[in-house]
Amino acid sequence: MGPLQGLRVVELAGIGPGPFAAMLLADLGADVLRIDRPGAVSAFGPAELDLLARGRRSVAVDLKHPAGSATVLALAERADVLLEGFRPGVAERLGVGPDACLARNERLVYGRMTGWGQDGPLARTAGHDLGYIAVTGALAAIGRAGGPPQVPVNLVGDFGGGAMYLAVGVLAALLESRVSGRGQVVDAAIVDGTAHLSTMLHGMLAAGRWEDRRGVNLLDGGAPWYDVYETADGGHLAVAALEPEFHAQLLDRLGIAADAPDRDDPANWPALRALLAGTIRRRTRAEWTAVFEGSDACAAPVLTWSEAHEHPHLQARGTYVERDGVPQPAPAPRFSRTPGALGRPPARPGGHTREALTDWGVPDVDALLASGAVHQA
């Protein structure tokens, strides 16, 4: 199943963006082997609920054992892609860096996922999503005017600027390798990807169409018609009526078309915001959802994670699926001829060591188990 069926990927286990990229490739049909440390446990609860580990088998390898690193090299020799998310230099010290792997398989695409990148003054320092998006300007742009920057979970850096760029980079390098016959190293840094995500805003800033402060611009809550408003029951309604024709529908459905001031004059924005806020606060979220159903007013209820999988549109599309009683996002994007699908449930670390190594043609699996280089959970 999936357009990547037949692609072999070795994933050196990590946290956050690396596992997300590996999950994405597995969702699209790749055969991904996750290399876990012996005795590893999930950082986020029971292994069977670690959804970022879905779709692949787990092999437990002691990379500090000489035969352990040799096992990873044997897998790299049989793989199309290797993914790792260590700090710069760690994979090399463990004997599984790019030079060692490419020496065994010159067509290998070696994907490296870090926050700061493989070089630069901060390359070897620790970090997390929040720090990466802080230095790129993204964090400063998120929040209300006059208030502090707001923490956007870790979707902007780890998964948007990190994992997605790793996946795109790996797939681009695979396409190139089909022509050249040679692999290469993909350096995916969260700071680079997050900066790249903001390309449009840099253009608007240069053109004088964006102010370098938060909460005063078209897309950051500065415009009254692109903001979130509280409803009568404490819920919220997202309003994104950017175009004039959509804004007209918004005002009409709210019943305030005759009272709304001209939106093209920024001097009217405080009055327009107050009118929108006061009107929306008169009804519940469910009532406004019914009012805007099927319209082009670009108003939508703000749903929680646990509510989202019940939304009628997302249900109709199968955007969320349920496995073993756990709702979770379905594979994306969609393909007309080779659709992706949920593969295996999240694996217990080391749960497939004997099976997977045998399937990949690694020799002397029993000897490796006996030596302690690899472990079967």
Side-chain angles (χ1 to χ4, degrees), residues 60-87:
V61 179
D62 182 357
L63 285 173
K64 295 183 179 180
H65 191 294
S69 58
T71 299
V72 171
L73 292 177
L75 292 170
E77 188 174 345
R78 295 158 170 79
D80 301 290
V81 176
L82 185 144
L83 304 178
E84 64 94 355
F86 299 129
R87 289 199 209 185

Side-chain angles (χ1 to χ4, degrees), residues 19 49 53 108 149 252:
L49 297 180
L108 182 72
D252 182 63

Side-chain angles (χ1 to χ4, degrees), residues 1-5 28 333-340:
M1 297 292 291
L4 298 184
Q5 187 173 20
L28 298 184
R334 304 180 184 207
F335 299 83
S336 63
R337 190 169 48 79
T338 57

Side-chain angles (χ1 to χ4, degrees), residues 7-208:
L7 188 75
R8 283 186 158 185
V9 180
V10 175
E11 171 201 4
L12 304 185
I15 60 173
F20 185 96
M23 181 201 75
L24 174 57
L25 299 180
D27 281 352
L28 298 184
D31 179 7
V32 183
L33 282 192
R34 178 180 170 100
I35 308 301
D36 281 299
R37 297 189 310 275
V41 296
S42 170
F44 304 108
E48 63 271 17
L49 297 180
D50 185 1
L51 297 183
L52 288 189
R54 76 186 188 190
R56 53 233 201 244
R57 294 181 288 186
S58 171
V59 175
V61 179
D62 182 357
L63 285 173
K64 295 183 179 180
H65 191 294
S69 58
T71 299
V72 171
L73 292 177
L75 292 170
E77 188 174 345
R78 295 158 170 79
D80 301 290
V81 176
L82 185 144
L83 304 178
E84 64 94 355
F86 299 129
R87 289 199 209 185
V90 172
E92 285 83 350
R93 290 199 300 273
L94 293 171
V96 293
D99 291 344
C101 290
L102 287 164
R104 300 284 290 267
N105 179 2
E106 66 174 4
R107 297 177 65 93
L108 182 72
V109 172
Y110 193 105
R112 314 197 82 168
M113 182 76 262
T114 59
W116 302 115
Q118 295 298 314
D119 53 41
L122 297 177
R124 295 179 183 272
T125 62
H128 277 295
D129 173 286
L130 198 60
Y132 307 139
I133 69 172
V135 303
T136 61
L139 182 60
I142 301 171
R144 294 290 178 184
Q150 296 298 305
V151 181
V153 200
N154 68 329
L155 301 178
V156 175
D158 278 352
F159 298 143
M164 297 305 294
Y165 280 85
L166 176 61
V168 169
V170 162
L171 295 176
L174 281 170
L175 281 175
E176 192 281 335
S177 73
R178 299 297 190 258
V179 176
S180 68
R182 300 174 60 194
Q184 60 182 306
V185 178
V186 178
D187 175 3
I190 295 173
V191 290
D192 296 345
T194 303
H196 195 258
L197 287 173
S198 66
T199 300
M200 181 188 78
L201 302 181
H202 279 272
M204 294 176 70
L205 184 65

